[in-house]
Amino acid sequence: MRSLMLASLLTLSAAPALALAQPGKDCHLPGTEESLRCLRLAVPLDHHAPGAALSLHVTVAPALRESARRDPLFLLAGGPGEAGSDLVPLLNTTFRKVRATRDIVLIDQRGTGLSGKLDCKPGKNAETATEDELLAETRACIKGLNKRFNLYTTEQAARDIEVVRAALGYGRINVWGGSYGSRLAQAYSRLYPGSVRSLVLDGVAAPDQVVPAGAHDAQAALDALLKQCADDTVCAAAFPALRSEFDALAARLAKSPQSLTLPDPRTAETTKVEMTSMRFIGTVHNILYSQADSRRLPFLIHSAYQDRWQPFIARSNVSRDFSSEGGPAMPLHLAVVCAEDFPRLTPELLAEDTKGSFLGAPQIMRIGKMCETMSVPAVPYKEPAVIEAPVLLMSGALDPVTPPRRAEAARKYMKNAQHLIVKNGGHIVSPLGCMPRLLRTFLDQPGAPLKAECLNEIPAPTFQLNSAGPQP
């Protein structure tokens, strides 16, 4: 409340050009029943050539106690393509202890959520469309948006954060970044080191990481899951040939797609579905992100191997390929990755990364077909500066895209960092076990070492053995 009252009185002179905050107003966003504060800020479309502007949506969840600290926590969502407002449901769970004494600020990154979302809605037949049909729809949508995609970079988004900080009247801030948000948080800290009190990075993207090149990490996560099933007496008894079944499915679909006729999981109407290698591998990779979701994978693989594809198709439809109603902004994702990552994906890196992995070159190079349509210039890679602010790095040992080794690579460019690893965690571990308490402890004393033995008490979810769901 304090910061929003200040924001309503600010003028252009109080922040970078075009940072004029409209008075905050009460708002209700999906994921919470309480009233929050929302406002819009005009930020330069191009921070290097001020002129045209875009409207940025900002949500503030005021601290629950009147004696709030002056250093808020800014939340940066992942993707790229997720919006800060997508994290609202975490306010009363993961960040409840932090919010007791600090304002929490959520920014819908340019091109996401309520900040001019770059949106490609799924077609009417998205769940049964072929790969070529999906690609054509996405290309047509990208062309139809008619946007200057080269201005939707990590650097431009980082400069937006500084506009928000100044407009709300905050001094130094704390920043939590999850997944891609960890890259954005690092970029902001390097651009504005005097504005950052501390960083909390969950699912850490290393500065030199080429995001599409994730085959090695994906295979490591799958191997760990298969081993856990083999080591679990009940899972091993239910699925004794799990690895060979997966290998057989992958090999079969690599040769040719499988045409399926089965009841639609939602309507029960008979429909035809083409299960391609691309769809199969993509679904498996997506499932591995969540430690809880991944415990369903042995059942899904075994069922598919026995030609009972309905459970696998139902799960595949949750994250069907290029777009999803109400989901992340795919064109924003492409704007960032096609400019900052794909140009660094050399043939040598691709060959090294995919060697021995179920995630092969066709899946990884798929994004290149859309990058051609985006037509954004490459953003040159620069050797990162050392981050002086205290940093808390968090990783899940079973993360298929940003495992602990990525956090360690990022740590080389940090002066004061500590790294917590959840052995039974996947991608994003902030909500797990005692981690919310550790977040609050770190923010209160960023320079002090954390006692994190409690993370070893976080159990692994049980495996799903049949259609009834996970074991009790």
Side-chain angles (χ1 to χ4, degrees):
M1 188 70 70
R2 175 191 71 254
S3 58
L4 286 169
M5 291 174 62
L6 286 171
S8 67
L9 300 176
L10 291 175
T11 64
L12 285 172
S13 62
L18 295 176
L20 178 60
Q22 299 174 3
K25 60 181 181 180
D26 290 343
C27 60
H28 290 84
L29 298 176
T32 182
E33 296 181 357
E34 71 172 300
S35 176
L36 302 173
R37 299 290 290 176
C38 293
L39 66 152
R40 288 195 171 276
L41 291 171
V43 299
L45 179 60
D46 184 353
H47 285 273
H48 300 293
L54 59 81
S55 178
L56 208 66
H57 183 271
V58 181
T59 305
V60 179
L64 299 175
R65 298 178 185 173
E66 291 186 5
S67 57
R69 296 173 180 263
R70 295 181 178 274
D71 53 289
L73 179 64
F74 277 46
L75 303 185
L76 306 182
E82 295 179 354
S85 53
D86 293 336
L87 303 180
V88 163
L90 301 181
L91 291 175
N92 291 321
T93 54
T94 304
F95 299 105
R96 183 76 177 182
K97 291 183 180 298
V98 171
R99 191 185 167 194
T101 56
R102 286 179 171 83
D103 294 348
I104 294 183
V105 179
L106 307 96
I107 302 173
D108 282 13
Q109 182 180 338
R110 58 170 60 200
T112 74
L114 299 173
S115 295
K117 182 178 181 181
L118 302 178
D119 203 7
C120 283
K121 298 184 182 301
K124 294 182 180 179
N125 301 315
E127 294 173 353
T128 57
T130 66
E131 304 295 337
D132 289 342
E133 289 171 341
L134 287 169
L135 178 59
E137 288 179 3
T138 303
R139 282 174 166 170
C141 173
I142 290 170
K143 292 179 180 178
L145 290 174
N146 194 29
K147 295 289 185 179
R148 297 170 62 187
F149 295 116
N150 62 304
L151 298 179
Y152 289 83
T153 62
T154 298
E155 183 201 339
Q156 296 281 359
R159 295 187 184 280
D160 290 343
I161 297 170
E162 180 65 2
V163 173
V164 174
R165 181 202 64 79
L168 292 178
Y170 293 119
R172 292 194 304 159
I173 63 173
N174 308 287
V175 182
W176 178 95
S179 192
Y180 165 75
S182 71
R183 174 190 282 186
L184 179 55
Q186 292 174 77
Y188 174 70
S189 183
R190 291 185 169 104
L191 281 172
Y192 304 100
S195 297
V196 178
R197 177 178 177 268
S198 71
L199 290 179
V200 179
L201 308 180
D202 189 350
V204 187
D208 61 348
Q209 183 172 351
V210 178
V211 171
H216 176 85
D217 294 331
Q219 184 63 45
L222 179 63
D223 288 342
L225 175 70
L226 297 180
K227 184 178 185 303
Q228 286 183 340
C229 180
D231 292 343
D232 183 278
T233 303
V234 178
C235 187
F239 314 116
L242 187 59
R243 185 178 289 274
S244 63
E245 290 177 354
F246 175 81
D247 291 341
L249 279 171
R252 183 198 313 169
L253 293 172
K255 290 182 179 179
S256 63
Q258 183 171 348
S259 296
L260 307 171
T261 302
L262 67 170
D264 185 280
R266 295 194 180 104
T267 67
E269 296 180 358
T270 301
T271 185
K272 292 185 178 180
V273 176
E274 186 180 60
M275 178 54 62
T276 63
S277 175
M278 194 78 71
R279 183 170 185 176
F280 176 73
I281 295 300
T283 301
V284 170
H285 190 211
N286 182 273
I287 291 173
L288 288 171
Y289 273 64
S290 166
Q291 173 64 347
D293 199 17
S294 68
R295 311 299 267 198
R296 303 168 56 196
L297 192 55
F299 166 71
L300 297 178
I301 291 172
H302 182 67
S303 298
Y305 181 76
Q306 295 184 322
D307 284 328
R308 292 187 290 109
W309 280 96
Q310 289 93 329
F312 192 93
I313 294 294
R315 176 56 184 81
S316 177
N317 287 346
V318 172
S319 56
R320 182 61 169 127
D321 296 342
F322 297 122
S323 56
S324 177
E325 186 75 38
M330 181 55 68
L332 186 279
H333 179 94
L334 294 172
V336 173
V337 174
C338 292
E340 302 175 15
D341 294 275
F342 194 75
R344 295 188 286 132
L345 184 59
T346 63
E348 294 76 17
L349 175 58
L350 181 65
E352 177 186 358
D353 182 57
T354 57
K355 185 178 180 180
S357 176
F358 75 94
L359 193 63
Q363 287 80 27
I364 292 177
M365 292 302 294
R366 177 194 200 195
I367 195 172
K369 298 178 181 179
M370 292 178 284
C371 287
E372 295 172 1
T373 306
M374 295 299 295
S375 188
V376 289
V379 174
Y381 176 76
K382 298 179 181 178
E383 186 71 13
V386 173
I387 293 176
E388 300 284 341
V391 184
L392 176 61
L393 304 168
M394 298 182 294
S395 303
L398 304 176
D399 189 336
V401 61
T402 53
R405 75 183 186 98
R406 300 296 190 180
E408 287 300 315
R411 190 177 187 174
K412 297 176 182 178
Y413 302 98
M414 297 170 180
K415 186 176 181 179
N416 180 12
Q418 50 187 315
H419 186 192
L420 304 183
I421 300 174
V422 180
K423 66 179 181 179
N424 287 319
H427 189 60
I428 303 300
V429 297
S430 290
L432 302 181
C434 60
M435 195 64 89
R437 174 175 60 80
L438 295 177
L439 290 177
R440 164 74 182 272
T441 301
F442 172 78
L443 292 175
D444 286 348
Q445 292 184 302
L450 289 171
K451 296 180 179 180
E453 292 80 4
C454 58
L455 296 179
N456 296 325
E457 301 172 6
I458 297 175
T462 57
F463 283 100
Q464 178 175 348
L465 303 180
N466 50 49
S467 298
Q471 302 175 64

